[in-house]
Amino acid sequence: MTKHKAISLGMAMAGAAALSMTTGLGSALAADWKPAKPVEFVVMAGKGGGADKAVRYMQGVIAEEKLGPTITPVNKAGGSGAVALNYLKGKKGDNHTIMFTLNSFYTTPLRQPKLGVNIENFTPIMRMAEDTFCLWVNTARKDGNNIKSVDDFVKAAKAAGDKWIMAGTGKNSEDNLLTDFLNSAYGLKMKYVPYKGGGKVAKQLAGNNADSTVNNPSEQEGFYKAGNTRPLACFTDKRIPLFPDAPTFKEIGKDFVYYMQRTVVGTPGMSADAQKYYNDLFTKVFNSKKWQAYRKKKALQGDPLAGDDLMKYWKRERDVHKAMLKKMGAIK
Amino acid sequence: MTEIVYLLLDGFYVAFQPLNLALIVLGCAAGLFIGAMPGLGSVNGVAILLPLTYLVPPTGAIIFLAALYYGAMYGGAISSVMLGIPGASTAVATTFDGRPLAKMGMADKALTAAAVASFAGGTISVILFTMAAPPLAHIALVFGDPEEFALMMLAFATFIGLGGDDIAKTIFSICIGLVLAAVGFDTVSGEPRLVFFDITNFMDGVKFLVLAIGIYGIGEMLWTIEENTRAGGASQLSKATVSLKRTIANLRELVRSWKTMVMGSVLGYVVGILPAAGATPGSLMAYGIGKQISKDPDSFGKGNVEGVIAPEAANNAASTGSMLPMLTLGIPGSPTTAILLGGMVLWGLEPGPRLFSDEPSFVWGLIASLYVANFFAVVLNIAFIPAFIWVLKLPFTLLAPIIFVLCLVGGYAPTQSMYDVWLMLLFGIVGYLMRKLDYPLAPAVLAIVLGPLAERALRQSLLISGGELSIFVDPVNRPYAAFIMYAALVLLFLPLFMMIRRRLTSGKAASTEPS
């Protein structure tokens, strides 16, 4: 029980922070510095995943609306972002390299101190969104049990014990954290089985090879629209407009809020002018109709966040994740 | 059925729009070129050219990228045959017989066979796609970890005996591949493994292409240089000729191998649909089965044209197959379709169970364009064969440095990291030594492709079952897994049975005819 309390406190803090944060957008004045060559946009994950899709989408927006330079996405998958973080660390002072990060931005340096990565050295550019998480089940289970609410879910999962399979992306990842929370909050023994990507996880559920997932809406969306899978509740502050019938965990008495950052970060020691340039660029991307439409469609939340405010947010989130990883036993 | 015909005709109307037709031809040509470059495969091609597609409407964009995907599948065979370097993992099996054929001066025969088999594979699979998309999508959906593991076992089983006669050396080669495959992050435990000297790059794992270009490209080149020096100086990489007469004779001969083509196509298509790994296991399995059903299995690996036909039919069929889960489930069946999927989202389309009903002109335009793309790809490919042969005729002293440069670029391009280049050069030396000591190379490459897939599926299955192996042979709850596993066991013991039978018959022959 203490475990659950500590986690939920941290989560609530993070959630409240996300809501109350006022934004520090860059000024509208044109920056003096301009890229002299194509800009490398490092993706902290493999091709075809959620982060990769978002980067290629932004690349498209920048190219189509002629907002800025040529953007070249470069995938540095592997090691839960360790490879990408190490790469960016080595590009010290490079004004033509930026990266798109997730929450492994906090967890990977914590879990692998050998990397020698201190995220405070990176240059904050802009948080483009926060992705959300929901609890999903199949609408046509093999055993015929039609699970419609968290109560139904708890009853079924309790009865199944460790035969209940929760599929998720990666070990000691966001999905793993949420599964641990559900297990301790409801006294369940669900078995967590890690897969390589959100798409694969969604498919395990839709094909009845897993009993539940805690996927991002964008990952489960296709099957939701086809009526194959159903969100029971979401780890958000407010109900997600796409799923008006799914309550938040807060509403049903478990104060648990968790988001995943989708943030643009610059190299350590990037010049202030370059930082300002990218700040302006991504402000324009953020405000574009296309990005707003993408956010809406993928149920992304979170205000834009830049500069010192973004750095403060990183530090706070890192502390939250440190506490969670300790509870999980992933770090000492 | 009539409805499908009408929809398909509508699709052809879309595909034959001047812009779309031009995009098909352009895509095929670009794909052919990208596929032919060692190191660059359909994944890189589609990723590099994705931004160009914002200039045209979504249907044109997917048609262009699909044509490119196809073209790259055709093109992958070219460097496999000519240089013995698989341009992509999907073309590994093509090197097994394509390269020996080229060495015997029959590169034109191998290239023609690859082009025609690709055409057969592409066309048969598109027909299958047209007729039965939705029911097959269902199979893709229920396919879980135990089924994937059974499939990988089937792929390994079809390959028994591939390494040659020295079983100890074959096992050693497989082990090297498996160890290299284990480097990097372990999905199930989330811990890094085999990160030598704490070099962070090892966390990224050892990529297939780095190994393949290293041991096949660099290693093979070193070996050839040594042989040439011993033979007394510069010669050509292989004797090669081409003429219209030869091409016609080659085409005639290919008709006789129609059974292998159909087998490779159907197998490739079915394996391609399953969201396990796309075209690579499909082409490897087709090669193995092609050998088993061949009238002359002993010549496989020494330059049997059926050894080119089977994998080439399968990898093209699989590339069509892997579009099915992408379109109907929104799940990519291969890395390339993963990028296509990202593109579709950008163009404002919603891949998933409702795409067929919501966007019929897009879906059927794509299907029709696959028929058309196949046609152009085979024509372009055969037309270019003389040019490829001409390259092979260049003096070896000129060709060798060019190939080295291509290998280095191929190792660097996909990840833009020098770490991969150094690793590749290291594998080149290892590959050279293995050749010199007569170790088979193919099993190592096979293990690095299939090993990680098999390992992950096995561990995930055992997590689900709580450690019970019975999950793989449970015909009631897991009929697909059990069926595939039984098939794998049969295939595993079939060569043994055949060998015993052959021993017995040859024993009889020997007794009547003393030597």
Side-chain angles (χ1 to χ4, degrees):
Chain A
M1 206 56 217
T2 46
K3 176 180 176 182
H4 154 224
K5 258 185 195 159
I7 293 179
S8 75
L9 184 69
M11 295 293 189
M13 256 172 59
L19 259 192
S20 64
M21 193 66 64
T22 47
T23 62
L25 296 182
S27 75
L29 289 169
D32 296 319
W33 183 86
K34 267 199 173 114
K37 56 177 185 179
V39 172
E40 207 177 291
F41 205 164
V42 181
V43 190
M44 234 174 146
K47 291 190 177 109
D52 184 55
K53 275 184 208 163
V55 164
R56 288 176 199 281
Y57 192 86
M58 286 189 279
Q59 177 199 18
V61 173
I62 291 171
E64 211 174 57
E65 309 203 351
K66 301 194 173 63
L67 297 178
T70 310
I71 303 278
T72 321
V74 177
N75 295 79
K76 298 275 175 196
S80 297
V83 177
L85 285 166
N86 202 47
Y87 179 75
L88 203 68
K89 186 184 139 200
K91 288 257 177 180
K92 198 168 186 236
D94 187 332
N95 287 339
H96 292 88
T97 306
I98 52 177
M99 183 167 83
F100 200 54
T101 60
L102 325 166
N103 283 5
S104 48
F105 187 62
Y106 319 118
T107 51
T108 300
L110 285 170
R111 293 185 52 228
Q112 295 177 50
K114 269 189 188 167
L115 276 177
V117 167
N118 182 358
I119 59 171
E120 290 174 34
N121 293 338
F122 291 116
T123 308
I125 294 178
M126 182 161 296
R127 187 181 76 187
M128 300 301 288
E130 284 183 305
D131 212 341
T132 53
F133 294 85
C134 299
L135 172 65
W136 299 85
V137 291
N138 195 313
T139 49
R141 290 172 54 79
K142 261 190 206 159
D143 60 13
N145 187 355
N146 191 3
I147 297 176
K148 283 189 167 161
S149 67
V150 175
D151 284 344
D152 295 347
F153 160 80
V154 170
K155 214 183 281 168
K158 240 186 199 145
D162 66 355
K163 294 265 183 286
W164 187 275
I165 304 295
M166 172 72 96
T169 309
K171 182 84 177 169
N172 297 334
S173 60
E174 297 83 7
D175 291 5
N176 207 164
L177 290 172
L178 293 172
T179 307
D180 277 18
F181 160 75
L182 290 170
N183 271 341
S184 68
Y186 292 105
L188 305 175
K189 285 189 192 131
M190 295 186 288
K191 196 183 282 171
Y192 180 77
V193 181
Y195 290 86
K196 238 190 165 174
K200 271 217 132 177
V201 172
K203 185 203 150 242
Q204 299 303 321
L205 181 62
N208 267 324
N209 285 310
D211 297 295
S212 57
T213 72
V214 282
N215 256 345
N216 301 132
S218 62
E219 293 165 335
Q220 204 78 41
E221 176 186 38
F223 293 109
Y224 166 73
K225 285 196 177 147
N228 288 351
T229 56
R230 171 186 296 145
L232 296 178
C234 296
F235 299 90
T236 47
D237 286 292
K238 279 188 249 165
R239 289 193 183 201
I240 296 175
L242 277 180
F243 318 123
D245 298 333
T248 64
F249 276 93
K250 235 178 184 174
E251 283 176 54
I252 52 175
K254 304 283 177 191
D255 191 0
F256 194 79
V257 175
Y258 189 74
Y259 295 102
M260 169 133 78
Q261 69 163 345
R262 301 263 186 221
T263 299
V264 184
V265 50
T267 52
M270 176 180 269
S271 77
D273 284 348
Q275 182 186 10
K276 193 164 158 326
Y277 173 84
Y278 291 117
N279 199 337
D280 291 346
L281 174 64
F282 284 98
T283 306
K284 282 183 218 153
V285 173
F286 188 91
N287 292 328
S288 69
K289 267 187 195 150
K290 284 217 143 183
W291 182 254
Q292 289 302 324
Y294 186 79
R295 277 170 57 98
K296 202 170 165 191
K297 208 165 147 196
K298 301 291 176 191
L300 298 176
Q301 306 193 338
D303 298 320
L305 205 59
D308 292 341
D309 291 334
L310 180 55
M311 182 57 83
K312 274 184 217 152
Y313 164 81
W314 281 348
K315 287 183 190 166
R316 196 169 36 240
E317 283 284 293
R318 183 178 58 181
D319 292 344
V320 169
H321 281 88
K322 197 173 186 175
M324 286 191 291
L325 286 172
K326 265 189 190 163
K327 291 277 168 204
M328 283 170 68
I331 55 168
K332 278 178 193 139
Chain B
M1 198 61 215
T2 33
E3 200 197 334
I4 288 180
V5 173
Y6 280 126
L7 286 166
L8 190 62
L9 285 176
D10 282 347
F12 273 113
Y13 177 72
V14 174
F16 279 118
Q17 298 291 316
L19 175 68
N20 291 342
L21 204 57
L23 286 168
I24 290 174
V25 178
L26 208 65
C28 282
L32 208 60
F33 176 74
I34 289 170
M37 299 287 285
L40 291 181
S42 56
V43 182
N44 313 90
V46 171
I48 293 164
L49 294 176
L50 187 64
L52 289 184
T53 59
Y54 308 136
L55 306 171
V56 295
T59 310
I62 187 92
I63 284 177
F64 174 72
L65 292 178
L68 187 112
Y69 189 15
Y70 255 35
M73 284 289 165
Y74 276 79
I78 294 166
S79 67
S80 291
V81 169
M82 298 208 323
L83 311 175
I85 309 169
S89 64
T90 50
V92 173
T94 314
T95 59
F96 300 157
D97 279 279
R99 179 81 182 121
L101 277 169
K103 279 196 162 162
M104 292 189 289
M106 290 190 280
D108 61 325
K109 187 176 178 182
L111 288 172
T112 312
V116 173
S118 296
F119 178 72
T123 305
I124 291 173
S125 62
V126 177
I127 292 170
L128 289 173
F129 193 112
T130 313
M131 313 268 263
L136 286 168
H138 174 73
I139 295 184
L141 193 57
V142 298
F143 219 73
D145 300 306
E147 287 79 14
E148 268 179 37
F149 179 68
L151 187 73
M152 289 303 131
M153 285 302 100
L154 187 64
F156 273 115
T158 53
F159 255 69
I160 294 299
L162 178 80
D165 301 327
D166 196 328
I167 291 180
K169 282 184 174 171
T170 304
I171 291 174
F172 179 80
S173 183
I174 288 181
C175 289
I176 286 193
L178 287 177
V179 167
L180 290 175
V183 173
F185 251 79
D186 169 20
T187 318
V188 178
S189 74
E191 297 298 325
R193 303 188 294 201
L194 300 175
V195 179
F196 303 107
F197 316 113
D198 282 333
I199 299 174
T200 327
N201 281 309
F202 278 113
M203 287 183 182
D204 210 4
V206 176
K207 280 167 283 303
F208 156 80
L209 267 175
V210 172
L211 182 76
I213 299 182
I215 66 174
Y216 280 106
I218 310 268
E220 171 102 12
M221 270 299 114
L222 292 173
W223 173 253
T224 317
I225 289 171
E226 187 186 287
E227 275 199 323
N228 275 0
T229 321
R230 205 181 297 146
S235 64
Q236 286 170 352
L237 190 58
S238 69
K239 298 184 292 287
T241 42
V242 66
S243 68
L244 192 63
K245 212 170 138 193
R246 274 176 71 109
T247 307
I248 291 168
N250 286 335
L251 288 173
R252 275 226 184 102
E253 207 189 316
L254 283 174
V255 179
R256 264 184 272 150
S257 306
W258 66 274
K259 264 190 221 159
T260 313
M261 271 184 222
V262 173
M263 180 279 298
S265 307
V266 175
L267 184 80
Y269 178 67
V270 173
V271 174
I273 287 174
L274 307 172
T280 308
S283 64
L284 291 167
M285 284 163 76
Y287 181 86
I289 293 178
K291 184 177 175 177
Q292 309 248 7
I293 63 168
S294 171
K295 282 182 196 132
D296 185 15
D298 291 335
S299 67
F300 265 65
K302 294 173 191 136
N304 187 327
V305 78
E306 284 180 359
V308 174
I309 291 171
E312 278 303 309
N315 68 22
N316 268 59
S319 64
T320 313
S322 66
M323 287 199 195
L324 187 88
M326 173 188 84
L327 294 172
T328 57
L329 305 176
I331 297 164
S334 70
T336 313
T337 47
I339 298 173
L340 285 180
L341 195 68
M344 288 174 65
V345 175
L346 246 171
W347 307 322
L349 291 162
E350 197 73 58
R354 288 186 18 188
L355 186 72
F356 272 69
S357 48
D358 288 357
E359 302 279 351
S361 83
F362 173 84
V363 172
W364 291 97
L366 171 65
I367 293 176
S369 75
L370 291 178
Y371 284 96
V372 183
N374 249 313
F375 174 75
F376 279 109
V378 76
V379 170
L380 276 175
N381 205 339
I382 292 185
F384 274 123
I385 286 177
F388 299 135
I389 299 293
W390 177 80
V391 171
L392 275 184
K393 279 183 178 168
L394 289 174
F396 183 68
T397 41
L398 193 65
L399 202 53
I402 296 177
I403 294 173
F404 266 114
V405 171
L406 280 179
C407 287
L408 293 180
V409 172
Y412 181 77
T415 51
Q416 284 122 43
S417 120
M418 276 311 283
Y419 150 82
D420 283 336
V421 177
W422 298 125
L423 209 56
M424 188 178 74
L425 289 171
L426 184 71
F427 287 137
I429 296 168
V430 173
Y432 164 74
L433 291 175
M434 281 174 76
R435 280 208 69 134
K436 210 159 162 63
L437 301 171
D438 210 16
Y439 281 86
L441 301 176
V445 176
L446 179 76
I448 204 172
V449 175
L450 300 183
L453 299 169
E455 187 210 335
R456 206 160 48 231
L458 173 67
R459 293 176 65 188
Q460 278 160 349
S461 305
L462 291 179
L463 259 181
I464 290 168
S465 74
E468 291 291 330
L469 282 169
S470 59
I471 191 169
F472 300 116
V473 285
D474 180 349
V476 182
N477 294 318
R478 293 260 172 203
Y480 294 114
F483 174 75
I484 299 170
M485 204 51 136
Y486 290 137
L489 290 175
V490 169
L491 268 178
L492 191 65
F493 290 110
L494 197 66
L496 194 71
F497 172 74
M498 302 272 254
M499 199 171 75
I500 293 170
R501 209 180 65 172
R502 220 176 294 159
R503 284 262 164 93
L504 284 177
T505 46
S506 70
K508 266 180 211 155
S511 64
T512 53
E513 199 180 303
S515 53

